[in-house]
Amino acid sequence: MDMRYTSAMNTWAGTSDHVDVTVRLDVAVITLNRPEVLNALTARMRKDLAAALRHHGNGQTVRGLVITGAGRAFSAGEDLREAARRPKGELVAEVELFHDITRAALETRVPVVAALNGIAVGGAAEMTLGFDARIGTPAAEYLFPENDLGLAISNAASLLLPRLVGNRALRLVLDSSRINARDALSLGLLDEIAEPPDLTEAAIDLVHRWTRPRASTAVHLRLLRPSLQDVERAIAAETMAVQVLERDGTARAGIDRFLAARSGEAR
């Protein structure tokens, strides 16, 4: 059963905005499908991902959700080319679309598992921090580049990253360097490394283990996930940081610098 989701109508439709859903063995596998740009997330993709999480996460249709990427990357994060075309003052709204993915994941009544087939960058890396597990291939990597770009972390990462890696969170963000799969496993960013092509199967198997018959999974998700109140406080602080960086021009300069560097590489 292969379906494409349209969030605005809250229904399934035949057109695609690069967020595909396939239900396999009672698990919804959500694929970020824009491999030609490493699954960089447009505003529409972020809206559709949050909507798909809410639609399938109600505990009535599937046993869990797996989020993965098409091609060689999980996701390059926000589509900065699209962001650069937005009028001044809209960066906060762009970041709020990332925040809503974390809200949607934490509101589900079923497990949410990231299956990292490659690199996860920026907001895409940060959204996985609010998922219940993260499984990667040996090619999986994490990158939190915001400090170098003059941007701010999102998705309540100011709360969720230290929750996973402790006081090493500050260094990971300030260094803005790639974290390979082995190091991510050691740090606690990854829970498991699975050899391809078994990544999705490993994630589905984990969902099945956690939702075996008569298990009280939904109760324990509610008890052990970070509280939505704490998450909202972190999101509010991150939003204020984005407002400051946008107002003083730091964010726009960072985006322009990144795009100029990429343009030079292309030549």
Side-chain angles (χ1 to χ4, degrees):
M1 185 161 48
D2 204 355
M3 298 171 284
R4 309 291 171 90
Y5 195 68
T6 303
S7 61
M9 298 173 59
N10 200 34
T11 58
W12 297 100
T15 57
S16 171
D17 264 353
H18 311 296
V19 176
D20 301 344
V21 181
T22 303
V23 178
R24 295 172 53 186
L25 301 173
D26 295 324
V27 175
V29 179
I30 303 173
T31 304
L32 309 175
N33 191 5
R34 203 178 171 220
E36 67 279 6
V37 288
L38 301 183
N39 303 319
L41 295 166
T42 63
R44 178 58 185 269
M45 288 174 71
R46 280 169 273 158
K47 291 176 184 176
D48 285 353
L49 177 55
L53 286 166
R54 289 191 169 101
H55 180 86
H56 284 288
N58 59 14
Q60 299 175 10
T61 57
V62 295
R63 294 170 62 175
L65 302 100
V66 172
I67 295 83
T68 193
R72 61 190 179 93
F74 179 76
S75 171
E78 182 177 8
D79 186 333
L80 292 180
R81 295 188 187 279
E82 181 187 67
R85 295 192 295 267
R86 300 286 187 191
K88 186 177 180 180
E90 291 195 7
L91 186 57
V92 168
E94 290 287 303
V95 173
E96 280 293 341
L97 295 178
F98 272 114
H99 291 163
D100 201 44
I101 295 168
T102 290
R103 290 189 188 98
L106 292 172
E107 289 167 357
T108 64
R109 292 179 53 80
V110 297
V112 180
V113 179
L116 284 91
N117 54 303
I119 193 166
V121 180
E126 289 144 16
M127 74 186 185
T128 71
L129 305 178
F131 297 171
D132 302 305
R134 289 151 298 280
I135 301 175
T137 68
E141 293 182 281
Y142 272 92
L143 174 60
F144 304 99
E146 287 90 346
N147 193 51
D148 279 355
L149 293 175
L151 301 174
I153 55 177
S154 64
N155 291 85
S158 55
L159 169 73
L160 301 175
L161 185 58
R163 194 171 186 261
L164 289 175
V165 304
N167 59 11
R168 291 166 292 189
L170 182 66
R171 180 164 188 164
L172 296 183
V173 173
L174 296 188
D175 277 348
S176 295
S177 57
R178 290 189 180 212
I179 306 155
N180 64 34
R182 185 177 297 277
D183 289 342
L185 183 66
S186 175
L187 286 164
L189 286 171
L190 286 180
D191 300 295
E192 181 182 337
I193 295 177
E195 293 289 340
D198 300 326
L199 175 66
T200 303
E201 286 72 13
I204 290 173
D205 286 347
L206 180 61
V207 170
H208 286 175
R209 290 203 307 273
W210 284 358
T211 59
R212 55 195 176 276
R214 294 176 295 282
S216 51
T217 306
V219 168
H220 287 109
L221 292 176
R222 201 160 56 242
L223 289 171
L224 294 171
R225 283 172 172 169
S227 76
L228 288 174
Q229 293 89 342
D230 289 344
V231 166
E232 289 297 345
R233 278 194 290 270
I235 283 173
E238 292 165 7
T239 299
M240 288 180 63
V242 172
Q243 289 171 333
V244 170
L245 292 169
E246 183 169 37
R247 190 164 53 242
D248 68 12
T250 302
R252 178 63 61 175
I255 292 172
D256 291 346
R257 187 169 61 249
F258 171 81
L259 293 176
R262 293 299 299 271
S263 177
E265 289 173 6
R267 290 197 297 270

